[in-house]
Amino acid sequence: MSEFTSFDHLFDAVLVVNLKREIVYFNHHASIFFKMPPRILKQKTSLTQICDSVDIDIEEWLSKALLSFDVLISPEIRLTIPHETDLDYYVVLKLIPVQTDKSANFAVVFHDLTVEKKLHLKYRDQMEELKKTHGQILQADKLTTLGELTATISHEINNPLTIAAGNSEIISDILDLPNIESRLSVLKNANQTVTESLERVNQIIKNMRDFLHQSEDEKEYCDLDALVDAAIEWAQPGAKKANVHIKKQSRVRSVALANRIKLEQVIINLVKNSIDAIAQHSKDVPAEVLINLSKSDLDHQTIIDVVDNGPGLADEIKKNLFKPFQSTKGSGTGTGLGLSICQKIIESHRGRLEHVDSQSGCHFRIRLPLIEVYSYARNDRALMGTKHKKKILVLDDEVQILNVLNTFIHNEGMVFIGSSTPLDSLNFIEKANIDLIITDFSMPEMNGSEFAAKARAMGYEGPILYMTSSKNIDQYNKDKSTLNITGVIVKPFNKDDVMKTLRLALAPGEAV
Amino acid sequence: MKRLTINKQILQDELSVELIGCIDEDSDFKELAGLGQETISFDFDKISMINSCGIREWIKFIDLLPARCNIVYKNCPQIIIEQINMVHGFFREGSVIESFYAPYYCDKCGKEAKVHLKSDTVKNRKAPKSDCPNCGNENIEFDAIEGQYFSFLGKI
Ligand SMILES: [Zn+2]
C-alpha cells in the first residue's frame, strides 16, 4: 500500500477505505490520534470499530459520500473512541477520492478541531461566568447602597417633613381662630410651604429610586450660585438649631451640567455633616460653614469647597471616608447621606469629591468639569462612529436658554456643547472642532461682537450665529462682513426658528 | 482538567522543575522566569495531557530563557513525544533530552509497557531492545512507528 505513504507526512489522522468501506491503510498520525498502536489498528477493518459519533452515523455518511466520488466535508461532529472513554474529539471529516492503478479508494481525513472547540466552549462559559459575576457585583453594590439609602432616607426627608409638619400646625392653629380672613396670607404661605416640602420629599424619594434603578440621569444646565443657595436654604433649619452660620462665597458665575437635586443633596449633606460635627464640639469662636465657589481654568473645573471651622476629621475616619456605611460622625448621630453615595453622584457628573487635609476644620471639595468640557465629553460616545454629527457650541449666560437649546439641538441629532462664559468658550474652540457657534449678544464679560472677533482671531472659520433681540440687529449688519457672521437667531425664538437657521448656516444654499 | 502544577528547586547551578498535570492554554510558566541558572532541568514524568495551546505557551517560555542556559528534559511521556514530534521549537537547539518513555508490547503475555529510555541508547531511530517487565520475555516489540516516534531525536 505504498501508494498511500504520503499521508504519513500529515498531522491529521487519515484512514484510507475502499469502496466496500474497508480500511486499507492508516497513516502514522492515526495511531496517535486514536490512541491505538499500529499493532491494534491493523486489526480494525471498519471505521465504526475505531470511532463513533453521536452526531452522525459515520457508516451511513460514508456510504452516501462514496456514491459521489468527490471531495466531501462533514459538519463538525463529536467523535468518541470506544476503548478510550474519557477521550472525545471535535472533528470535521474530509473525504478525498484517491484513485490508484489497482483500485478506487477514499481517504478519510480526521481534521481535529478539539482544541479550538474546547477553547471556544471554555471562553464562552467564562464569559457567561464573568457576566454573571459582574451582575452580582453590581447587585451587591446596589444592595450596599440600598442599605445606606434606607438608613439615610429618613435623615434626608426629616427636614422637609419637619417643615411641613410645623406649617400644618400653623394652619391648624389659624383655622381655630375666629377671624381667619385676616390671616389669609399667612395661611396661603403656610399651605404653599407644606406643598413645597412634600414635593421635596417626593423628589428625594424619586431620586433615590432612580439612583437604584440606574436610570439615565437627567442633567440640566444649572446656575451653581442658585443651586448652593437652595442647598443652604434646606440646611438652614438644622444650622440655626445648632447655632451654626452658613456662609457662601462665590468669585465666579458658574454653570454646571448637573442633576440639580442630586448635586444639591450632596452639598446639603456635606453642610449637614459639618453642622453635626461642630454641634458636638463646643468652641469659643462662632461656628461656621463656608461654601466657596471657584473655577480652575487650568484643570477646566468648577470647584465647590465646603469648609467648616469644627474639629476636623479623626485620622481613623479619613482612611475609610468614601467606603459604604462610613460616617464622618460617631455612631448614634445617623449616617447621613453616605459619602460613598455623594462620591458616586459627583462621579456620575464626571467630577470628583475629595477630602482636603487642612489645619483646622473639615474641608470637602467637589470638582466638576466645566460645562463645555462636560457636554463635549458626554457626547464622546455618540461622537465615536458618528463623526459626521455636527458640533454646535452655544454661548449664553442664561441657563434656561442653554437648556432649551440643548433639547432642540440634541433632538435633531447634533452635538450640543453649552457654555456660559466667553472665555471658556474660546478655550474650548481652540481644542475642539466646532462646526457652528451660537452666541448670545449681551453678556457681562464681553458682547457678541467682541467674542466673535476673538474667535475669528483664533482662527475659527465656521459659521457664527448671534442670538439676540432685534435691538442688536444693527450690530449684526456691521459684523456680517467684517466678522463673517452668518445670521441671527432672534429672541424670543421657537424651535423651528432655531433649527432652520442652524441648518441653513451649516449647509448654505440647500433648501430647508 | 487538572491544572498545571510547577514544583521547582534550585540547587547549586541547577534549577530543577517538576511539571505535574496538564500543559494547556492556562499554563503559565512565568513564575520560572528570572530563576535562571546555568542549567534548568524539566521533569515531565507527571504530565497527563498537553495540547497545542500548551505547546505554544511552552515555546514562548523557552524562547525567553537565556541562551547560555543548559536545558535538560527528563522523563518525557509518550503524549509529550507525540506532540513534540509535530512541533518545531519545543526543544531548543542545544538542549538535552536525557530520558523519555516509549511504548512496547510483549507478544508472549500481552503486556503493554511504557519503557523508560535514555536518549543515547536510541541509534538511527531504532528502538533499543527491552525486557518484558511482566514475563521476562527478553525481546519485546516496539509498539509504535519507530521512524516517526524517534524523529524528535533528530530535532535536537
Ligand atoms: Zn511479557
Side-chain angles (χ1 to χ4, degrees):
Chain A
M1 289 296 171
S2 59
E3 57 264 56
F4 302 125
T5 51
S6 52
F7 288 124
D8 290 342
H9 301 293
L10 294 183
F11 290 144
D12 283 324
V14 179
L15 300 177
V16 181
V17 296
N18 61 22
L19 293 177
K20 282 185 257 168
R21 286 177 278 130
E22 293 163 342
I23 297 172
V24 295
Y25 188 83
F26 56 86
N27 75 341
H28 284 176
H29 197 75
S31 165
I32 295 168
F33 183 78
F34 294 112
K35 304 279 168 209
M36 287 178 195
R39 166 177 55 84
I40 293 177
L41 208 46
K42 254 188 275 187
Q43 302 159 10
K44 309 292 182 189
T45 52
S46 73
L47 241 66
T48 38
Q49 290 173 359
I50 298 172
C51 58
D52 199 3
S53 173
V54 289
D55 298 320
I56 58 167
D57 183 329
I58 292 182
E59 282 294 332
E60 198 188 303
W61 178 77
L62 200 58
S63 37
K64 266 192 207 156
L66 290 184
L67 294 174
S68 68
F69 210 75
D70 201 355
V71 174
L72 208 76
I73 293 166
S74 80
E76 185 183 282
I77 58 169
R78 204 170 134 193
L79 204 70
T80 49
I81 317 283
H83 73 286
E84 290 274 349
T85 44
D86 56 338
L87 254 187
D88 62 303
Y89 291 118
Y90 292 89
V91 296
V92 166
L93 301 183
K94 202 180 214 177
L95 201 69
I96 305 166
V98 190
Q99 183 74 52
T100 68
D101 298 342
K102 297 161 219 153
S103 60
N105 299 281
F106 281 90
V108 185
V109 181
F110 292 77
H111 185 51
D112 187 1
L113 296 171
T114 312
V115 171
E116 287 86 344
K117 178 75 176 182
K118 287 192 174 160
L119 277 182
H120 170 77
L121 293 175
K122 183 164 118 187
Y123 289 129
R124 202 187 54 191
D125 289 352
Q126 282 179 354
M127 281 310 292
E128 282 308 312
E129 192 62 29
L130 214 61
K131 275 185 207 159
K132 227 167 76 189
T133 314
H134 182 66
Q136 281 166 353
I137 290 170
L138 285 182
Q139 198 51 39
D141 195 36
K142 269 192 197 171
L143 286 177
T144 313
T145 313
L146 181 66
E148 237 185 307
L149 282 173
T150 329
T152 62
I153 231 168
S154 56
H155 184 92
E156 271 301 303
I157 63 179
N158 217 16
N159 259 327
L161 278 183
T162 309
I163 294 168
N167 279 279
S168 154
E169 230 174 298
I170 293 171
I171 294 171
S172 306
D173 288 351
I174 294 176
L175 288 176
D176 284 342
L177 294 176
N179 53 341
I180 299 173
E181 288 76 14
S182 66
R183 303 290 197 105
L184 218 52
S185 68
V186 181
L187 206 55
K188 273 184 183 161
N189 212 351
N191 183 50
Q192 172 79 8
T193 311
V194 170
T195 310
E196 277 172 11
S197 301
L198 292 178
E199 179 56 28
R200 175 80 187 177
V201 171
N202 189 32
Q203 239 165 345
I204 288 168
I205 291 171
K206 186 171 168 293
N207 260 330
M208 301 243 174
R209 205 169 46 211
D210 288 351
F211 185 72
L212 281 177
H213 291 161
Q214 286 187 330
S215 68
E216 170 65 25
D217 256 341
E218 272 307 317
K219 292 194 175 71
E220 55 183 351
Y221 291 87
C222 325
D223 188 338
L224 282 180
D225 243 322
L227 192 144
V228 169
D229 284 343
I232 291 174
E233 205 176 303
W234 287 109
Q236 207 57 268
K240 280 200 178 126
K241 217 158 93 189
N243 213 10
V244 175
H245 184 58
I246 308 175
K247 280 197 336 192
K248 186 189 79 174
Q249 221 175 60
S250 73
R251 292 195 198 86
V252 289
R253 197 177 46 76
S254 41
V255 172
L257 185 56
N259 180 306
R260 195 172 46 80
I261 295 284
K262 282 190 186 175
L263 190 54
E264 236 175 78
Q265 277 175 332
V266 170
I267 296 169
I268 292 170
N269 182 66
L270 292 177
V271 171
K272 274 188 187 164
N273 278 344
S274 283
I275 292 171
D276 291 349
I278 302 173
Q280 290 179 330
H281 175 79
S282 55
K283 238 185 156 188
D284 305 330
V285 282
E288 105 186 350
V289 179
L290 172 71
I291 304 174
N292 189 44
L293 276 171
S294 61
K295 201 188 263 186
S296 161
D297 285 326
L298 198 69
D299 303 326
H300 303 287
Q301 283 171 338
T302 299
I303 292 166
I304 307 168
D305 288 301
V306 178
V307 191
D308 67 42
N309 61 352
L313 297 177
D315 287 339
E316 198 54 38
I317 289 170
K318 280 182 200 167
K319 272 189 280 178
N320 298 313
L321 214 46
F322 294 106
K323 290 212 176 125
F325 291 110
Q326 200 61 40
S327 167
T328 51
K329 298 154 231 169
S331 55
T333 28
T335 55
L337 185 62
L339 282 170
S340 78
I341 295 184
C342 288
Q343 196 180 41
K344 274 181 198 160
I345 293 174
I346 299 302
E347 280 171 359
S348 79
H349 289 79
R350 291 179 191 251
R352 291 280 310 155
L353 173 63
E354 321 166 325
H355 173 255
V356 180
D357 244 331
S358 62
Q359 291 295 326
S360 64
C362 180
H363 182 176
F364 279 98
R365 170 167 289 174
I366 299 168
R367 293 173 178 276
L368 294 169
L370 289 186
I371 53 170
E372 294 79 6
V373 177
Y374 186 22
S375 47
Y376 191 72
R378 208 157 74 120
N379 282 301
D380 244 7
R381 230 172 282 154
L383 287 176
M384 283 194 282
T386 52
K387 287 214 165 67
H388 60 281
K389 273 197 178 182
K390 297 291 184 192
K391 294 181 271 298
I392 316 296
L393 179 89
V394 177
L395 168 59
D396 201 304
D397 59 334
E398 279 181 68
V399 290
Q400 287 87 344
I401 299 276
L402 290 179
N403 281 324
V404 168
L405 286 179
N406 183 16
T407 312
F408 289 174
I409 292 174
H410 189 80
N411 287 350
E412 286 290 310
M414 300 182 193
V415 175
F416 176 85
I417 298 149
S419 176
S420 64
T421 72
L423 286 179
D424 290 338
S425 281
L426 290 168
N427 266 331
F428 198 74
I429 291 166
E430 208 173 17
K431 291 182 190 78
N433 268 323
I434 301 295
D435 292 296
L436 185 145
I437 296 173
I438 299 173
T439 174
D440 185 20
F441 197 84
S442 319
M443 295 173 288
E445 291 93 331
M446 61 177 84
N447 69 29
S449 292
E450 292 165 307
F451 170 75
K454 285 201 156 69
R456 291 296 184 217
M458 276 171 48
Y460 172 74
E461 288 172 350
I464 298 178
L465 298 175
Y466 285 168
M467 185 165 46
T468 180
S469 63
S470 53
K471 70 176 197 289
N472 288 313
I473 294 294
D474 284 347
Q475 188 63 45
Y476 163 69
N477 289 334
K478 271 187 223 159
D479 296 348
K480 220 173 1 187
S481 52
T482 53
L483 292 170
N484 191 18
I485 306 301
T486 310
V488 180
I489 294 170
V490 183
K491 286 179 181 172
F493 52 72
N494 61 33
K495 184 180 177 179
D496 279 351
D497 296 339
V498 176
M499 294 321 295
K500 271 183 193 169
T501 319
L502 225 145
R503 265 182 253 137
L504 269 178
L506 284 168
E510 268 175 43
V512 182
Chain B
M1 279 213 197
K2 194 162 172 278
R3 295 196 76 152
L4 182 68
T5 307
I6 300 176
N7 295 331
K8 54 198 176 297
Q9 53 182 149
I10 299 175
L11 272 176
Q12 272 103 41
D13 296 331
E14 182 173 342
L15 165 65
S16 308
V17 180
E18 188 191 15
L19 301 161
I20 303 165
C22 301
I23 301 181
D24 60 16
E25 60 279 1
D26 293 327
S27 300
D28 191 347
F29 301 100
K30 72 168 170 283
E31 63 175 287
L32 294 172
L35 297 179
Q37 299 292 316
E38 258 176 49
T39 300
I40 304 184
S41 69
F42 296 102
D43 184 347
F44 291 97
D45 210 3
K46 292 183 181 129
I47 287 297
S48 55
M49 195 280 272
I50 183 165
N51 69 15
S52 54
C53 295
I55 292 179
R56 273 183 212 121
E57 293 300 323
W58 176 263
I59 292 172
K60 215 167 70 191
F61 158 65
I62 285 293
D63 280 348
L64 291 176
L65 293 176
R68 57 183 161 73
C69 196
N70 304 314
I71 304 175
V72 180
Y73 295 78
K74 294 176 181 170
N75 308 324
C76 301
Q78 185 174 352
I79 45 162
I80 293 267
I81 300 296
E82 285 168 354
Q83 285 288 325
I84 60 189
N85 273 330
M86 292 190 273
V87 187
H88 181 82
F90 191 89
F91 295 124
R92 193 163 78 182
E93 211 176 315
S95 55
V96 176
I97 297 164
E98 198 182 271
S99 60
F100 61 95
Y101 290 91
Y104 280 80
Y105 174 74
C106 173
D107 54 4
K108 288 235 168 77
C109 72
K111 170 83 183 168
E112 289 181 357
K114 307 281 185 229
V115 177
H116 191 252
L117 297 178
K118 298 270 180 200
S119 297
D120 51 18
T121 62
V122 182
K123 307 283 184 228
N124 300 319
R125 298 195 185 181
K126 289 285 170 214
K129 282 193 174 175
S130 190
D131 303 342
C132 176
N134 190 37
C135 70
N137 175 3
E138 283 180 8
N139 207 351
I140 57 176
E141 287 171 18
F142 185 70
D143 204 19
I145 297 152
E146 287 171 306
Q148 184 205 23
Y149 196 84
F150 297 114
S151 63
F152 70 95
L153 290 170
K155 289 187 178 184
I156 311 166

